[in-house]
C-alpha cells in the first residue's frame, strides 16, 4: 500500500532571474530576445514558477503523481 508520498517536478523555461540573461546582457535586451524566442513572447515570473510548485504540493493535485510540469511559455509545445 502507498505511503502518501507523491513525486512530481517542474521543468521551467526562462524565468526572470539572472540565469536567463546571457553574459553581459541587460534585462531590456533579454525582453527583446524573448519576444521571438518563445510563443508567449516573454520570460516567466518567479510567481508563475512558484504557483506551479504550490499547486503540485496542494491537495488539489493529490491524484497527480510522477508528473513533470513543463512551464516554458510554449517553447516545447
Amino acid at each position: 500500500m502507498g505511503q502518501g508520498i507523491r513525486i512530481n517536478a517542474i521543468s521551467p523555461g526562462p524565468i526572470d532571474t539572472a540565469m536567463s540573461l546571457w553574459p553581459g546582457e541587460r534585462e531590456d535586451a533579454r525582453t527583446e530576445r524573448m519576444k521571438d524566442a518563445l510563443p508567449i513572447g516573454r520570460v516567466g515570473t518567479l510567481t508563475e514558477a512558484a504557483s506551479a510548485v504550490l499547486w503540485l504540493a496542494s491537495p488539489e493535485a493529490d491524484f497527480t503523481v510522477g508528473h513533470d510540469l513543463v512551464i516554458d511559455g510554449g517553447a516545447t509545445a
Side-chain angles (χ1 to χ4, degrees), residues 9-10 46-58 69 71:
I10 65 164
L46 288 172
T47 299
E48 290 167 328
S51 294
V53 172
L54 289 173
W55 177 76
L56 283 171
S58 74
L69 182 57
I71 53 170

Side-chain angles (χ1 to χ4, degrees), residues 7-67:
I7 306 226
N8 294 295
I10 65 164
S11 291
I15 300 293
D16 187 16
T17 66
M19 289 185 68
S20 66
L21 295 167
W22 288 350
E25 185 178 41
R26 294 177 11 167
E27 287 183 23
D28 57 339
R30 180 193 60 200
T31 297
E32 189 62 33
R33 176 171 53 89
M34 289 294 127
K35 284 182 182 176
D36 295 325
L38 296 173
I40 203 165
R42 64 174 178 82
V43 296
T45 67
L46 288 172
T47 299
E48 290 167 328
S51 294
V53 172
L54 289 173
W55 177 76
L56 283 171
S58 74
E60 287 81 12
D62 274 350
F63 201 62
T64 304
V65 178
H67 184 68

